[in-house]
Amino acid sequence: MNSDLPQAAETVDRGRHPQAVTPWEDEAWRAAALGWIHEVLAVHGLRPAGSPQVRLRPWSVLVRLDVGGTGDRGGDRVWFKANPPASAFEAGLGAALAGWVPEHVLRPLAVDAGRGWSLLPDGGRRFADVLDAGEAGVEAWEEMLRQYAGMQRSLLPYTGKIESLGVPGARTAALPEVFDRLVAENGALTDAERAVLDGLRPRVADWSAELAATGIGDCLDHADLHEAQVFHAPSTSRFTFFDWGDAAVTHPFCSFLVPARRAVERYGPEVLPRLRDAYLDPWTDVGRTLPDLRHALSLAWRLGALGRAWAWGRLFPGAANGTEPAGGAEGARSLLQLADAPPRFIAPGTE
C-alpha cells in the first residue's frame, strides 16, 4: 500500500454504540479499505491531505478524508462508506441511481458492489444544517418532498432492476407476509406486544390489499428519509438524496412517514396538509383523484412502519452485545407503531 496514505485515524466516533463490533476493528479489512480508497483517489488525480475521520455505527463504517489535487477537485473531501451484508446493495444502487436520476443523487467516485463499498464526493450542506441555521422553513420541506416524489415516479420503470441489485422486495400485496416474518423473527417483543400485533394482522392484510388496489406501482422507498439524509444549498432549489441502506421496493407512498414525523417535531401537526399535498402533487396525473391519493397516503402511513422495522435488522454481524438480535428493540417499536392511527391532518377530509 502506498506510504502516503494515512495509516491511523485522528478520531474514531462511535456515538452511542461504543461496544458495537464493525469490520474497522479487523486490521486486514481496514488496510484493504484504505488501500482501495487510495487507488480510487489516484485514478481521479487526488491524494489524501490528512488522516481519516472515522464514524462507526452498527449499520455502517463511514470515513471522511480531506483530499488535495489539481483543478476543481483540489481542497475537497470524500466519503467512504461500507455497509453490512444485508445492506451491501447500497453501493450498486448508488451507482445505478446516478445513471437513472443523476439530478437527484450523488455520483460515486467508485463502488465495489461485491464488498458493499462506496467512495462518494462531498455533497455540501445537509438539509438539517440549513434548517438549524434558520435559512429554510416549511416551504423547503414542500419542495424537497415534491422533488423526491418526482424522482420516485422517474424510477418506476426501473423497479425490477432495482430489485435485481439486491434491494429487498416488500411488494405492497406481500406486506402481510413481511409482517409475519418480522414478528416471528423479533426476539425483543413481549408476549403482550405479540398479542397486540396478532390482533393487528387482519388489518395489515386489509390495508395492504386496499393500497395495492390503487394501481400505483411499487417503487423505491428510501425508508429513512429525513433532513439529515438530504443535501440542500439555499441558493438553489436542488435537493440531493443519499444514504440508501434502509431502502426497499414497496409502495412509494411509504416514504412519506419518516419526513412527515420529523417535520411535525419541528413545526407541529398543522404542517401536515401542506407536506401531504406537496408530496402527492407529482402523482396527480396517475388517474386517481386527490381524495383517493390522500386516502392511499393514510394507508401507507400505517404500513411505512414495516420498512423501518425491517431496516433495523441490517446491522453488522456481532454488532449487538447481549442476548437479543441486533436492532430487535428498535424493530419491535417500529412494528408496534402500526397500531398508531394516522394524524387527522393526513386522513382525507378531516383538516
Side-chain angles (χ1 to χ4, degrees):
M1 186 168 60
N2 193 299
S3 60
D4 66 354
L5 185 70
Q7 299 295 303
E10 290 182 0
T11 61
V12 176
D13 170 18
R14 294 181 177 272
R16 295 179 296 164
H17 309 275
Q19 304 303 318
V21 177
T22 72
W24 188 257
E25 286 75 40
D26 183 318
E27 184 176 352
W29 186 96
R30 186 169 64 249
L34 291 172
W36 182 77
I37 293 170
H38 177 76
E39 292 171 1
V40 173
L41 292 179
V43 169
H44 289 273
L46 301 171
R47 61 182 182 279
S51 296
Q53 308 299 301
V54 182
R55 180 180 182 273
L56 303 180
R57 298 294 186 268
W59 52 86
S60 68
V61 171
L62 192 66
V63 180
R64 191 192 82 183
L65 186 63
D66 293 331
V67 296
T70 59
D72 294 338
R73 299 297 309 219
D76 209 343
R77 64 179 52 151
V78 297
W79 298 84
F80 166 82
K81 184 174 184 180
N83 292 80
S87 62
F89 62 80
E90 185 180 0
L93 176 63
L97 291 176
W100 296 331
V101 286
E103 67 276 23
H104 295 297
V105 298
L106 295 173
R107 180 177 295 278
L109 298 177
V111 301
D112 185 326
R115 292 189 285 192
W117 292 357
S118 305
L119 191 65
L120 300 160
D122 189 71
R125 297 175 70 192
R126 300 179 310 161
F127 186 33
D129 300 326
V130 175
L131 291 167
D132 291 345
E135 299 175 42
V138 175
E139 70 288 341
W141 286 80
E142 293 178 88
E143 181 59 24
M144 184 267 284
L145 287 167
R146 284 192 195 94
Q147 291 189 26
Y148 176 78
M151 179 186 65
Q152 287 184 300
R153 289 217 59 188
S154 297
L155 289 171
L156 280 170
Y158 301 101
T159 296
K161 292 182 178 179
I162 292 170
E163 282 186 312
S164 73
L165 293 169
V167 178
R171 296 288 187 144
T172 307
L175 285 176
E177 288 71 34
V178 173
F179 170 85
D180 291 341
R181 185 169 68 254
L182 291 173
V183 172
E185 294 175 352
N186 191 295
L189 290 165
T190 67
D191 290 343
E193 290 168 340
R194 289 185 184 279
V196 169
L197 293 171
D198 286 346
L200 278 174
R201 205 312 182 156
R203 302 182 70 189
V204 169
D206 290 343
W207 297 330
S208 301
E210 189 175 356
L211 188 57
T214 62
I216 297 172
D218 290 326
C219 188
L220 185 65
D221 169 22
H222 186 287
D224 195 25
L225 182 68
H226 56 76
E227 64 269 44
Q229 312 276 47
V230 182
F231 296 118
H232 179 53
S235 61
T236 73
S237 60
R238 182 185 179 190
F239 290 85
T240 302
F241 306 100
F242 69 98
D243 202 346
W244 295 93
D246 292 340
V249 172
T250 188
H251 197 284
F253 289 10
C254 289
S255 287
F256 185 74
L257 173 66
V258 172
R261 282 180 168 166
R262 296 293 284 258
V264 166
E265 290 175 5
R266 287 180 178 265
Y267 308 109
E270 293 77 11
V271 74
L272 285 175
R274 292 176 60 179
L275 302 186
R276 175 199 64 195
D277 289 348
Y279 175 78
L280 292 176
D281 183 58
W283 301 96
T284 54
D285 63 348
V286 295
R288 297 291 181 272
T289 67
L290 187 57
D292 287 343
L293 291 172
R294 289 173 176 174
H295 180 63
L297 194 66
S298 72
L299 296 169
W301 179 284
R302 295 264 201 183
L303 296 169
L306 291 174
R308 296 301 309 131
W310 198 356
W312 277 111
R314 302 177 200 172
L315 307 184
F316 286 115
N321 290 284
T323 57
E324 297 299 340
E330 293 86 352
R333 280 193 288 271
S334 295
L335 285 170
L336 291 165
Q337 288 172 353
L338 285 161
D340 298 339
R344 66 184 181 89
F345 292 104
I346 293 297
T350 58
E351 68 271 22

